[in-house]
Amino acid sequence: MMNLAAALQRNASCKPDKVALICGDTQMTYAQFDAMAGKIASGLIDNGIQPGDRVALSCPNLPFFPLVYYGIQKAGAVVVPLNVLLREREIKYHLEDSDAKFFFCFEGNSALPMAKEGIAAFNQVDHCEKMIVMTADQGQLSFDGQPTLTAFLQECVALEDYVIRQADDTAVILYTSGTTGLPKGAELTQSNMMSNAFIAENLMAGNGGDVHLVTLPLFHSFGQTVHMNAGILIGATLVMVPRFEAADVLQLIEKHNVSIFAGVPTMYIGLNHCQSDSDVSSLRLAISGGASLPTEVIHTFESKFDVPILEGYGLSETSPIACFNHLDAERIPGSVGQPVQGVEIQLMDLQGNKAKQGDTGEVVIRGHNVMKGYLNRPDATEASIVNGWFYTGDIGKFDEEGNLFIVDRVKDLIIRGGFNVYPREIEEVFMTHPDVAMVAVIGIPSEEYGEEIKAYVVLKEGSVIEADALHEWGKVQFAAFKYPRSVEIRQQLPMSATGKILKKDLKAEMTPATA
């Protein structure tokens, strides 16, 4: 028997006055956090929500997110976090696919009118019974005809205890990015989420005195587990940041004596290029995940801030942590470390056999972290989980000491004239160029070679190098079949809300190769 909300309830009892959440000038103790989550749980139950019912949540990194998330857990329901950038059509799909009975949505702003998009979608979905709008104005009782959280909680009395769930009951449904077809909902159990939170805290050598800077979107598995669930598990403080700005992040680290920061590679690139005199000496650990971190970025960050970066690896379907660099082991730059406790990782060749030592292969994972399956998609579940092994779609290799290196995504592999080319290798080298701030390499159609290699480059501020010069530089760095025949300089690259470079958007442009 378990429930993610047990940790929150325990901390509210043991350390009621400890600050749990900070966002701007707002602070909330564990006692206040638990009481508010209890009122939300009570409101859900009073409105007919049963254990196992799905409740959608769309909110940036504001206190509303953990309050509602843990309120849903206390009620025994299932959280369906939605990407805050989704538009009406996409929200409608997620509400329908998850069979959500309730929908909590933040109001947004003029640039991103989340609630208006959400209301339009909600009105098209028959089974979604109620929508609650979370507004910055705590006195507001309605928003475009929908009740606000303030109105919803007016008559609620906090639930005294959480609803007991079983280890294999679904706790969260995380939707994949949908790089192939429509997004699929990965069902993660109470055991999946609890075990991964414990693993994260153990890897970070966490303690209740830690202060986490939460700039990773909490609707994503990375921030949800490594920051929110892991931090709340031991009673740490969460400093919530709705939008990543490098200078602001460094100031917040100093202001709140932040000890743990986690980010994706684009965030570390931003911090490396930021000119700031903020004192970040309180920071003891930085964590990277979500995408491969170029070794040049690691070296620059650690040299500039004197803080170690531990790189990890996982997917939404693995809760997410599967592999990690450990504090008590030698850290190999470029490696995502070793499988975490209770998790096995193997590499499989194209014929479905275990890859030989030193060879690359598809990364497959087995352990307590692997999802129950894809919601209402038995065929997709059967295709991705074979004999208990989850097939990730990533290409990896092990060194002799058992350190895993992610070479690339299977879908990102470029086959040029019969030769395999891994974009990450090219990106790693281009990141060493003194004028390059960011790069994405993709394969584009070529009549002669099947695929050709193209690099999209963002320059460092003040750099004036031309694309032709980078093209010629690449010729010197790589074998003839590897170097990018086309280099395009851009002001920015398309990114997801989690800070990942969206190569699928670049591929969709289908730009032809140059000579």
Side-chain angles (χ1 to χ4, degrees):
M1 297 185 295
M2 60 177 61
N3 188 313
L4 275 172
L8 171 60
Q9 197 160 298
R10 183 181 66 251
N11 287 321
S13 175
C14 297
K15 50 178 77 172
D17 298 325
K18 171 72 184 294
V19 175
L21 307 174
I22 297 174
C23 187
D25 296 328
T26 300
Q27 293 195 8
M28 183 174 288
T29 66
Y30 268 98
Q32 293 169 327
F33 182 179
D34 184 58
M36 182 63 78
K39 290 186 70 174
I40 292 168
S42 178
L44 287 169
I45 293 171
D46 290 347
N47 278 271
I49 290 297
Q50 300 291 317
D53 283 347
R54 291 94 187 226
V55 179
L57 169 59
S58 181
C59 184
N61 285 11
L62 297 168
F64 287 123
F65 190 101
L67 291 172
V68 174
Y69 183 101
Y70 275 84
I72 296 168
Q73 292 296 328
K74 272 182 169 283
V78 178
V79 185
V80 184
L82 302 184
N83 188 318
V84 298
L85 298 182
L86 296 179
R87 305 312 293 254
E88 176 187 335
R89 174 187 59 80
E90 298 163 312
I91 295 169
K92 176 176 180 287
Y93 166 78
H94 284 78
L95 294 178
E96 289 179 337
D97 191 74
S98 66
D99 193 28
K101 298 291 189 295
F102 248 70
F103 179 27
F104 289 87
C105 185
F106 184 65
E107 64 179 321
N109 53 45
S110 58
L112 187 64
M114 293 168 56
K116 292 184 181 295
E117 296 275 346
I119 290 168
F122 167 74
N123 288 332
Q124 301 174 57
V125 182
D126 292 335
H127 62 72
C128 198
E129 299 166 2
K130 201 160 197 173
M131 179 177 176
I132 307 298
V133 180
M134 297 169 284
T135 60
D137 181 358
Q138 299 301 301
Q140 190 173 352
L141 298 180
S142 67
F143 183 98
D144 284 7
Q146 302 300 326
T148 66
L149 185 62
T150 300
F152 177 66
L153 297 177
Q154 274 186 325
E155 304 298 326
C156 293
V157 177
L159 196 68
E160 291 186 2
D161 201 357
Y162 55 83
V163 175
I164 292 175
R165 303 293 284 153
Q166 301 301 314
D168 197 44
D169 286 335
T170 303
V172 180
I173 296 174
L174 293 176
Y175 275 83
T176 62
S177 57
T179 52
T180 55
L182 292 170
K184 301 183 293 290
E187 290 194 76
L188 301 175
T189 66
Q190 291 284 343
S191 178
N192 287 152
M193 300 300 287
M194 188 72 78
S195 297
N196 225 244
F198 272 112
I199 288 290
E201 274 304 334
N202 182 56
L203 290 166
M204 295 184 290
N207 61 76
D210 275 327
V211 179
H212 291 245
L213 189 71
V214 188
T215 191
L216 288 167
L218 289 176
F219 61 75
H220 188 267
S221 58
F222 187 9
Q224 207 172 118
T225 290
V226 173
H227 274 319
M228 186 176 71
N229 290 337
I232 291 170
L233 182 67
I234 60 168
T237 297
L238 309 181
V239 179
M240 308 187 69
V241 184
R243 179 182 174 83
F244 176 84
E245 294 289 348
D248 293 344
V249 162
L250 294 173
Q251 289 174 4
L252 287 170
I253 291 173
E254 177 179 6
K255 179 178 179 179
H256 296 293
N257 291 312
V258 169
S259 56
I260 295 177
F261 172 82
V264 295
T266 51
M267 293 179 181
Y268 286 102
I269 292 170
L271 291 170
N272 286 347
H273 296 157
C274 181
Q275 301 299 317
S276 171
D277 58 1
S278 296
D279 179 2
V280 299
S281 58
S282 62
L283 196 63
R284 68 173 180 84
L285 182 63
I287 296 168
S288 180
S292 297
L293 184 64
T295 53
E296 184 68 19
V297 176
I298 296 175
H299 294 319
T300 301
F301 181 88
E302 294 184 343
S303 174
K304 181 175 181 177
F305 296 104
D306 193 27
V307 177
I309 297 179
L310 295 187
E311 190 173 4
Y313 165 73
L315 307 94
S316 294
E317 292 90 341
T318 60
S319 309
I321 304 172
C323 199
F324 221 85
N325 279 280
H326 294 63
L327 284 168
D328 60 354
E330 181 184 3
R331 184 172 50 88
I332 311 297
S335 167
V336 293
Q338 306 83 32
V340 299
Q341 187 175 10
V343 173
E344 299 174 77
I345 295 181
Q346 291 186 358
L347 303 179
M348 306 297 286
D349 63 23
L350 294 176
Q351 288 71 45
N353 302 312
K354 187 175 179 180
K356 296 178 181 178
Q357 174 63 40
D359 288 350
T360 59
E362 182 174 357
V363 178
V364 298
I365 300 170
R366 179 170 66 180
H368 54 68
N369 59 338
V370 175
M371 66 174 178
K372 182 190 292 187
Y374 292 116
L375 179 67
N376 297 328
R377 286 176 170 77
D379 291 346
T381 300
E382 185 177 342
S384 62
I385 302 177
V386 181
N387 296 323
W389 292 93
F390 173 68
Y391 280 67
T392 66
D394 289 319
I395 302 170
K397 64 178 180 180
F398 282 110
D399 65 14
E400 293 181 354
E401 285 72 41
N403 297 296
L404 179 64
F405 294 77
I406 301 301
V407 177
D408 231 311
R409 290 286 293 168
V410 170
K411 62 181 177 58
D412 287 340
L413 174 67
I414 302 169
I415 303 177
R416 181 186 185 275
F419 290 97
N420 290 351
V421 178
Y422 296 105
R424 184 185 176 186
E425 178 189 358
I426 300 170
E427 290 162 355
E428 286 270 2
V429 174
F430 262 77
M431 285 298 296
T432 67
H433 192 286
D435 292 299
V436 174
M438 200 177 301
V439 61
V441 173
I442 66 169
I444 58 177
S446 167
E447 291 184 6
E448 184 175 1
Y449 294 103
E451 283 187 290
E452 195 51 273
I453 305 160
K454 179 166 184 175
Y456 294 86
V457 173
V458 175
L459 298 179
K460 291 180 180 177
E461 187 175 351
S463 294
V464 294
I465 192 170
E466 299 291 334
D468 287 346
L470 288 174
H471 172 257
E472 292 301 317
W473 181 84
K475 274 187 178 182
V476 178
Q477 307 298 319
F478 300 102
F481 70 92
K482 279 187 191 178
Y483 73 86
R485 264 47 180 188
S486 175
V487 176
E488 182 176 332
I489 295 175
R490 293 198 170 183
Q491 293 298 313
Q492 59 186 15
L493 297 175
M495 292 190 191
S496 70
T498 59
K500 284 186 180 181
I501 296 173
L502 296 174
K503 290 188 177 182
K504 65 177 181 178
D505 288 5
L506 295 173
K507 290 178 180 178
E509 298 176 13
M510 302 294 282
T511 307
T514 59

